[in-house]
Amino acid sequence: MGVRRNFIVLWTVALTLVVCDVSNNKIEDDDKLITKKRTLSECNLPTKLKTEIASYASTVEKIINAAVNGSFKGVTYQELSLFVDTFGNRIAGSQNLENAIDYMINKSIANGLDNVHGEEVQVPHWVRGFESATLVEPRNASISILGLGNSVGTPPEGILAEVLVVKSFDDLQSKAEQAKGKIVVYNEDFVSYGSTVIYRGKGATEASKVGAVASLIRSITPFSLNTPHTGMQTYGQNVTKIPTACITLEDAHFLQRLQDEGRTIKILLKMEAHTLPDKTSRNVVAEIEGTEHPEKVVIVSGHIDSWDVGNGAMDDGGGFFISWAALALLKSLGLKAKRTVRAIFWTAEEFGYVGAYQYATRHANETDNFIFMMESDSGTFDPVGLQYSAGTTGGCIIQEVMKLLAPINATRTRQSPSVGSDIEIWTSEGVPGGSLDTENDKYFWYHHSNADTLEVENPQSLDKNTALWASVAYVLADLSIDFPRETTDG
Ligand SMILES: *[C@@H]1O[C@H](CO)[C@@H](O)[C@H](O)[C@H]1NC(C)=O
Ligand SMILES: *[C@@H]1O[C@H](CO)[C@@H](O)[C@H](O)[C@H]1NC(C)=O
Ligand SMILES: *[C@@H]1O[C@H](CO)[C@@H](O)[C@H](O)[C@H]1NC(C)=O
Ligand SMILES: *[C@@H]1O[C@H](CO)[C@@H](O)[C@H](O)[C@H]1NC(C)=O
Ligand SMILES: *[C@@H]1O[C@H](CO)[C@@H](O)[C@H](O)[C@H]1NC(C)=O
Ligand SMILES: *[C@@H]1O[C@H](CO)[C@@H](O)[C@H](O)[C@H]1NC(C)=O
Ligand SMILES: [Zn+2]
């Protein structure tokens, strides 16, 4: 292998790369950077390698046929339905999450997968409890809210205070002297998830710094049917922790209009939110052991926890289920690659990649053997291809591999600085990785809301995603060369 690695490095020098940035409309889960599109207009991979990759066409076709039109047709959706209907949502710290983890461990054992086990992780245990917001001036109205992760609660009688609506952090600074004792409402414009989510993440902290008693944040979504969206927030050091929740886009606009009309606005906010001691959860691991280099690993992954609203069918039910399905499918087809294909269902992703950080620490001595890491956490809509983080040679290899997905029209490759949530712990350190790229324009319509139910998922799309996931993992795990780990990318 060492020899072949050198051979790839030499070829890197000969590569020609044309970079072109196009407008970013990619949407991403959880505090991530803007994605840039890059086109590899010309790749000069060795003919031998291209031929080798192309020779997987019949195997990939077999995988696709089984998933889309054969023994595995509809299985991913059926199994996801059963899972979602059985457990519903699965917030970190809940017994529900642990039951769901047991279920996936049992299922993976029943599938005959190798080394199936859970790895313990201490996770936060935040509990929402009852919550309500009521407009009491200038008229009575109920305001839909969802408290934000880590938020503290209000006193039992609630917080009754005047409202100050701001458009941005700058706007808040310019109105700082009016904020004291008030409930600050952020009516920020939605630009992109990655750039706008800072209002959810830091809104309470900034409001607290200017003396606010609570903060309500317009949900981070481009579209709303009066649906609030929850998510993580973190209090800054030394600030007074004030209760914080998201409100709907509609109510943010409504409160803005009331303020612009010059009216005094008062809200009564009641939240029972509180944090209990950490609980023990588990990352779930299952494998198809490699036949020649079992210590070298291609990882497919998604997170098994969810928020405590909706059913977590999309975020990240479908996302982690295709990793289960990819292994179950490969197993049922008797496909064993030279290297190990490992599925990991991360726990407590929503509370800051807690399971993944634990895994990174515990498996630090294995990192050199992580050949390629994959994650699906941006929806499992109709697949278009793969986003990847890799060097130039790696990008060219991905491009060749994705050509094999032509039968399901999912051949697109895009280089991205941000290819996952959990796996970014590794990809940011130079481990090559990829994330599922789908027609996910509507992802944030449902994300972290009560609308995240099985209705968002589609059997045909899930079949194609399972096929893509199994194919890419299998081919990269089976190639004669280790996927190149290049430190820089021109
Ligand atoms: C599915 O399989 C059937 C029977 O082999 C075949 O007639 C049909 O064309 C296939 N459909 C697709 C979409 O591949
Ligand atoms: C998993 O399997 C164990 C052992 O067979 C069983 O006791 C347990 O009830 C199963 N759990 C779930 C959630 O299916
Ligand atoms: C608003 O609700 C409060 C409490 O339920 C009630 O006492 C009050 O009369 C209502 N105000 C109006 C204008 O309806
Ligand atoms: C918080 O307070 C501690 C102790 O006074 C201080 O050392 C630290 O720098 C403060 N942190 C911030 C972010 O202000
Ligand atoms: C990593 O460390 C663990 C525990 O210390 C050990 O069991 C395992 O064999 C090591 N793996 C490698 C690849 O060195
Ligand atoms: C293939 O996917 C592209 C988007 O990646 C889409 O524009 C095109 O219509 C699709 N073609 C077919 C035949 O579905
Ligand atoms: Zn997610």
Side-chain angles (χ1 to χ4, degrees), residues 29-30 303 315-316 349-350 377 443 448:
D29 194 16
D30 296 321
H303 64 89
D315 184 10
D316 188 25
E349 185 272 350
E350 299 291 5
D377 188 17
Y443 183 68
H448 297 182

Side-chain angles (χ1 to χ4, degrees), residues 77 380-382 454-463 465:
Y77 181 86
T380 42
F381 301 88
D382 234 28
L454 200 68
E455 301 304 313
V456 185
E457 300 297 317
N458 167 284
Q460 288 77 38
S461 301
L462 281 169
D463 284 342
N465 287 321

Side-chain angles (χ1 to χ4, degrees), residues 92 119-124 281-285 299 301-305 344-364 367 370 373-375 377 420-429:
E119 296 192 14
E120 291 192 351
V121 193
Q122 295 305 113
V123 301
S281 183
R282 290 157 291 164
N283 290 316
V284 178
V285 180
I299 289 169
S301 70
H303 64 89
I304 189 166
D305 69 304
I344 306 179
F345 314 143
W346 313 108
T347 192
E349 185 272 350
E350 299 291 5
F351 279 84
Y353 321 145
V354 181
Y357 274 113
Q358 156 80 23
Y359 196 87
T361 303
R362 186 175 296 164
H363 295 266
T367 310
F370 292 173
M373 299 187 73
M374 295 159 66
E375 176 172 16
D377 188 17
S421 37
D422 292 292
I423 66 165
E424 263 185 63
I425 295 167
W426 291 270
T427 58
S428 64
E429 299 292 326

Side-chain angles (χ1 to χ4, degrees), residues 79-101:
E79 292 291 345
L80 176 62
S81 313
L82 195 56
F83 175 83
V84 161
D85 292 343
T86 305
F87 300 106
N89 59 52
R90 312 166 296 281
I91 194 171
S94 67
Q95 187 56 45
N96 223 21
L97 172 59
E98 297 316 303
N99 293 344
I101 285 170

Side-chain angles (χ1 to χ4, degrees), residues 168-244:
S168 65
F169 289 129
D170 286 345
D171 193 21
L172 176 66
Q173 287 314 311
S174 71
K175 295 178 173 139
E177 70 292 347
Q178 299 170 51
K180 199 169 162 49
K182 293 206 178 127
I183 296 174
V184 165
V185 169
Y186 292 93
N187 175 32
E188 78 287 349
D189 291 328
F190 180 84
V191 178
S192 70
Y193 184 79
S195 62
T196 309
V197 75
I198 190 163
Y199 284 93
R200 189 188 76 207
K202 303 264 171 271
T205 292
E206 293 307 312
S208 175
K209 284 183 189 165
V210 293
V213 291
S215 81
L216 298 174
I217 293 136
R218 173 170 141 182
S219 293
I220 314 304
T221 180
F223 175 82
S224 176
L225 289 174
N226 220 6
T227 321
H229 299 242
T230 189
M232 254 289 268
Q233 67 88 35
T234 324
Y235 295 113
Q237 265 190 332
N238 305 342
V239 303
T240 305
K241 295 179 178 180
I242 58 171
T244 184

Side-chain angles (χ1 to χ4, degrees), residues 295 362-366 369:
E295 77 287 0
R362 186 175 296 164
H363 295 266
N365 64 349
E366 254 193 287
N369 286 329

